[in-house]
Amino acid sequence: MPMPYYVSPEQMMQDKAEYAKKGIARGRSIIAMEYVNGILLAAENPSASLHKISEIYDNIAFAGAGKYSEFENLRKAGIRHADLKGFMYSREDVTARSLANGYSQSLGTIFSQEMKPLEVEILVVQIGHNGHSNEMYRISFDGSIIDERQFAVIGGKSDAVQAALKEKVPAQLPDLKAALTLCMNALEQTGNQKLSLESLEVAVLDRTRDNRKFRRYTSAETKQILA
Amino acid sequence: MKLPFLPNHDDASFFDFLTVHHPELTPAGRRWVDSSPSLPEASRSGGAVTVPQATTVLAIKYQDGVIIAGDRRATEGYQIAERRIEKVFKIDDFSAMAIAGAAGPCIEMARLFQTELEHYEKLEGMQLSCEGKANKLGQMVKANLPMVFQGLVVMPLYVGYDHKRTEGRIFKYDLAGGRYEESDYHAIGSGGKDARNTMREHFRRGLAEAETLKLALLALYNAADDDVGTGGPDLVRGIYPTAKIVNGTGITDVSEQQIRGIYDGLIETRRSKER
């Protein structure tokens, strides 16, 4: 009987992490940014129908970077979790915090127990009401979870985008146009190419809307915002 | 691989998800009652099932869509259990459902159906077609069949706006989940027949919104006149039937003020006949 090779746990984790990071860095970046009426989500996405940003629940949105099939699965699981909770208890009991915790658990378990870690990085954001602040959680491939303020970046050259944004984000919350311009500039600067509106996926969680706050903007509507 | 957060499930239907993973939350999940030995004979023989439905809810098509309305009374035998119950539910932006039957399971089914459609829309990135929604509701009514033998009947009347055909549509159901489309108008519940009689006399194709709303409220008034299970306008407490309008731009509640105005006129006309 052949003996399996011995690999130290440190080595194994490091290899897995490197593998996952490489997969995530291959893609493009996604930015979530707080603005006056809620949270703006912007992503570079050449496809108009395969979304990276989507609605989870009334006040909660999801964005995934990395391997599409993997974060799509996570997105669906999140919607199921949210709808189940909202149906079992009440709509206001569905929170981004519990959702982010669940994602963190799942990603962490997969990272440590499976051969292949998930090559994804995800964002779960929730807008606050009646004086409650917004919440933005960034969850990595290994299940680590980071609570972000003002803006959050995942996927691609996220460190570079983060650095570019950090200098320019104003102390006061920007309006939608200003926030979108900031995001586009940051994406352009790090991508070293001109962004076309057709390849930009834009959505918001808008506090002023009724019931379901998520809204996707078409490229024509995006143009209007920037005008 | 089994994780608490990633159940192995691959289906856009919330109802099916519940049925598999949380059967206790579905109406059909109470099916265990069915296997208890102390069942009444009627359920096993499939014999006559009495359908207690003290209600009148109705739907009428008009030129831009469809109007759905219902009374507010819930009864327990000869007692009035609730004077302000809502029997017309918004399901999504382009459809609504009214219910007759046992209040608890009815409201539960309306909530489940709301979640079902929203769930599908979020997972698939687009809404179900009008016909698809109606069929799904039929499956849910069918799943409730075991409960019917326990006396817990859920009887929906479903209306939706069909964007492809650019018209409103009305669907009625039977207890086994059979789905039938009505071309002009329909009413269900104990006062359904009375309401249908009124609508038959006054209905025309292509009615305007105001006329249709008036007809709907007149039909409910006449049903309340002849049927003990249906509540009419309660002038003392200020409780009036509710109505919703479904058309191409979405779904809107008819304001209570508007309904009260129409009833004031109607009652005045009736009163003048009595003098």
Side-chain angles (χ1 to χ4, degrees), chain A residues 55-57 75-77 79-81 83-84 86-89 91 99 102-103 106 109-110 114 212, chain B residues 1 3 5-7 9-11 14 17-18 22 25 90 108 111-112 115 118-119 121-123:
Chain A
E55 174 187 14
I56 294 271
Y57 212 65
R75 179 184 79 92
K76 286 184 173 172
I79 291 172
R80 270 188 208 112
H81 170 92
D83 278 343
L84 179 67
F87 179 69
M88 221 183 334
Y89 304 111
R91 293 195 83 92
L99 206 57
Y103 278 131
S106 292
T109 312
I110 291 172
E114 298 290 313
R212 287 162 72 180
Chain B
M1 175 177 58
L3 283 166
F5 205 54
L6 278 172
H9 191 83
D10 195 33
D11 191 331
F14 184 70
F17 172 68
L18 279 193
H22 298 273
L25 292 177
K90 174 187 173 180
E108 188 188 355
R111 269 191 73 209
L112 184 54
T115 311
E118 190 191 317
H119 190 75
E121 187 190 333
K122 286 189 290 196
L123 284 189

Side-chain angles (χ1 to χ4, degrees), chain B residues 114-130:
Chain B
Q114 283 166 348
T115 311
E116 168 77 29
L117 296 188
E118 190 191 317
H119 190 75
Y120 183 94
E121 187 190 333
K122 286 189 290 196
L123 284 189
E124 298 288 318
M126 61 196 289
Q127 287 212 346
L128 268 172
S129 65
C130 187

